[in-house]
Amino acid sequence: MDPLLLVLGFPLLGSIVLAFIGHRERARDANALFSLGTFLAACALTFEVIAQGPLFAWNHEFFIDSLNVFMVSLTAFVGLTTALFSRPYMRVEQAHGKMTPNRLRLYHSMYQLFSFTMLMALTTNNMGILWVSMEAATLTTVLLVSVYRTAASLEAAWKYFILCGVGIAQALFGTVLLYMAAEKLVGAETGALLWTNLNSVKNHLDPDIITLAFAFLFIGYGTKVGLVPLHNWLPDAHAEGPTPVSAVLSGLLLNVALYAILRCKVLTDGALHSALASQLMMGFGLLSVVVAAFFLSRQKDVKRMFAYSSIEHMGLITFAFGMGGPIANFAGLLHMTVHSLIKSSIFFTVGHASQKAGTQVMEDIRGLIKVSPAVGWGMMLGSLAILGMPPFGVFASEFLILTTAMREQPWATPFLLLALGVAFAAVFGRVQPMVFGETTLKALPHPPALIPVFIHLGLGLMLGLYIPPYLAAWYHQAARMLGG
């Protein structure tokens, strides 16, 4: 059977099935099983692309190449580990009365539908379907963020819906302009919105129309990435939604939105033969890094703090892709991978810590190393990894980005170093007392299920010490494809 059909079919079928049985005791297991099926199908698709090269499917409406195939695998993997973490987490939330049967059914079905929309956005060759997938992802995550039905969660979901809804509307106009530019060359009936067709004629696209199109596409999808000043929805959505939703928002949604920008940048670079797209990405990426770093020190809610950390890292990745070139693109792809792994593992530990303390306020969370050594060490190691301490993968990718910036964009290097230093001091200064501070809480009678945390941290450590040859080959191929 076609592995792409299975990659998209498992989460879609899972959302339908869990819409009926998502409230039952075994629904948590079913959610994990559907995610496992998606991951195995993604592995099969990856092996097929490695063996045969880029693949088209379903009348060229879907296209898998070295850029999106590893992102499909990463998305499916983080979706699986988050579903495994969600099993004990949601059991506790149900015991505390936060999750009713109807809310559980909504959560499980929307979780699978969210996975489907992410994988659809990554694999489609049609820029119109890409927009539809991103809009569907917005709607599903709005429901996930608001699942607790508290005043704060509803406000966060409403802010998320309005800001991202306006942003995605800008992306729609940009897509229309892209079609207008391509129709004259490709023809209305021969796939004027297919990315591969656009890529083949990008040197002949009208530069004036493409300039305007990229501006709207960058604003639209940049809102989903969380780039400053379009970031306001992200801290609220992370803080008020369930912790598994925070993990997939940081680990998956931001990556997929940035992937959409990268596809548009390739077309814009070819049409304009100028650095407009690169300059926009470097400017807004650097602004996001600096602003998020200084906001980190003002946070009192642990999930909001790590949400601003996500804004900082997505800004750094955007800056890297804006610089372009084989080294910066390689570093951006590596950073995208390790950020997804490490940040989702941090949210896993934050979920257990806040459940035990009964609060997300950092001043009220103390002595995690005594309450649960696994949670405490998981949070500390995850925080050190995301702050760029060697030998984790974030250190390797940040080192590549900084050294490339010193050579190609020296004006930006002081701002990057300042922002990274401020972020390190802010996060480490808050996490250290949470882990090692004094507490009166008793130790947990049983260790929480933290296998996903240490799997993610182990992979993040491995990517700092050794990148497997097949993964390095993906990065090199994708980096060359992105050009710059």
Side-chain angles (χ1 to χ4, degrees):
M1 185 176 289
D2 185 357
L4 177 59
L5 179 62
L6 294 177
V7 166
L8 298 176
F10 271 115
L12 182 59
L13 177 62
S15 67
I16 296 171
V17 171
L18 290 169
F20 293 99
I21 67 166
H23 60 289
R24 296 182 181 176
E25 181 67 24
R26 306 300 296 179
R28 293 184 289 268
D29 298 329
N31 187 46
L33 285 174
F34 279 114
S35 297
L36 175 61
T38 304
F39 174 65
L40 294 177
C43 292
L45 180 64
T46 300
F47 293 143
E48 187 171 337
V49 171
I50 291 174
Q52 302 180 24
L55 300 174
F56 287 97
W58 307 333
N59 198 26
H60 286 209
E61 291 294 327
F62 289 81
F63 174 64
I64 314 297
D65 62 7
S66 55
L67 175 59
N68 58 10
V69 70
F70 93 87
M71 295 187 68
V72 169
S73 299
L74 178 64
T75 299
F77 176 73
V78 175
L80 170 61
T81 54
T82 305
L84 293 173
F85 161 75
S86 162
R87 292 173 65 250
Y89 181 87
M90 281 302 169
R91 185 180 297 114
V92 175
E93 294 293 270
Q94 189 175 15
H96 290 169
K98 290 185 176 182
M99 296 297 290
T100 64
N102 285 337
R103 293 175 189 175
L104 278 171
R105 185 163 58 234
L106 176 67
Y107 167 79
H108 287 126
S109 61
M110 287 301 104
Y111 183 89
Q112 289 296 321
L113 191 59
F114 170 76
S115 297
F116 170 74
T117 59
M118 291 293 91
L119 294 166
M120 175 82 78
L122 288 172
T123 55
T124 185
N125 190 28
N126 190 308
M127 300 300 288
I129 296 177
L130 172 63
W131 180 86
V132 171
S133 301
M134 295 302 297
E135 175 68 5
T138 300
L139 298 177
T140 55
T141 44
V142 163
L143 294 173
L144 287 169
V145 168
S146 66
V147 73
Y148 286 144
R149 295 297 187 269
T150 62
S153 68
L154 291 172
E155 180 184 351
W158 180 248
K159 182 186 290 187
Y160 174 43
F161 176 71
I162 293 297
L163 289 177
C164 288
V166 171
I168 211 73
Q170 310 301 311
L172 175 60
F173 185 61
T175 305
V176 171
L177 291 173
L178 203 59
Y179 177 82
M180 183 189 303
E183 183 185 10
K184 303 172 185 177
L185 299 172
V186 179
E189 298 180 359
T190 55
L193 278 180
L194 296 184
W195 185 85
T196 48
N197 290 347
L198 290 164
N199 191 45
S200 65
V201 299
K202 62 185 178 184
N203 294 325
H204 306 289
L205 294 171
D206 188 323
D208 295 328
I209 297 178
I210 292 300
T211 299
L212 195 58
F214 183 77
F216 280 98
L217 288 164
F218 183 73
I219 293 170
Y221 293 129
T223 304
K224 300 286 288 186
V225 176
L227 298 177
V228 174
L230 307 169
H231 66 287
N232 298 49
W233 64 270
L234 199 150
D236 288 344
H238 280 64
E240 303 303 334
T243 300
V245 176
S246 303
V248 293
L249 281 175
S250 274
L252 303 183
L253 179 65
L254 307 186
N255 280 358
V256 176
L258 185 55
Y259 163 82
I261 292 177
L262 293 177
R263 287 293 194 191
C264 298
K265 178 181 181 291
V266 171
L267 302 177
T268 306
D269 288 343
L272 302 186
H273 303 290
S274 73
L276 174 67
S278 296
Q279 290 170 351
L280 279 174
M281 293 182 71
M282 282 192 292
F284 282 97
L286 184 60
L287 178 65
S288 301
V289 173
V290 174
V291 171
F294 282 94
F295 267 103
L296 278 168
S297 61
R298 302 178 56 189
Q299 302 310 310
K300 298 180 180 179
D301 184 297
V302 61
K303 289 173 71 175
R304 287 183 68 89
M305 181 180 73
F306 284 114
Y308 275 104
S309 173
S310 294
I311 295 171
E312 177 210 357
H313 283 279
M314 294 312 295
L316 188 61
I317 296 168
T318 303
F319 178 83
F321 285 128
M323 284 194 295
I327 298 176
N329 287 336
F330 182 96
L333 293 167
L334 177 60
H335 199 89
M336 185 183 287
T337 305
V338 291
H339 175 258
S340 293
L341 294 170
I342 301 298
K343 187 55 65 65
S344 52
S345 73
I346 290 173
F347 277 114
F348 295 162
T349 61
V350 165
H352 283 303
S354 59
Q355 276 187 340
K356 176 61 178 175
T359 180
Q360 294 175 190
V361 178
M362 286 182 279
E363 291 183 356
D364 297 331
I365 302 175
R366 290 290 184 268
L368 292 176
I369 201 74
K370 297 178 181 178
V371 175
S372 172
V375 173
W377 281 114
M379 182 177 290
M380 179 53 68
L381 290 174
S383 299
L384 291 174
I386 208 66
L387 291 171
M389 287 293 288
F392 288 97
V394 175
F395 169 79
S397 57
E398 287 185 349
F399 181 81
L400 287 173
I401 293 170
L402 285 170
T403 51
T404 305
M406 289 176 187
R407 185 179 67 252
E408 299 183 5
Q409 306 293 335
W411 61 271
T413 308
F415 296 102
L416 290 173
L417 290 172
L418 173 65
L420 292 175
V422 170
F424 186 97
V427 174
F428 187 78
R430 298 298 180 88
V431 170
Q432 193 272 341
M434 290 172 62
V435 175
F436 297 107
E438 294 298 324
T439 182
T440 58
L441 295 177
K442 296 181 179 179
L444 292 177
H446 303 288
L450 288 179
I451 292 176
V453 171
F454 292 102
I455 289 176
H456 283 210
L457 291 177
L459 290 172
L461 177 62
M462 181 194 74
L463 291 174
L465 298 171
Y466 170 75
I467 300 177
Y470 59 86
L471 186 58
W474 283 345
Y475 288 153
H476 284 299
Q477 292 172 16
R480 286 194 298 269
M481 184 184 306
L482 293 172

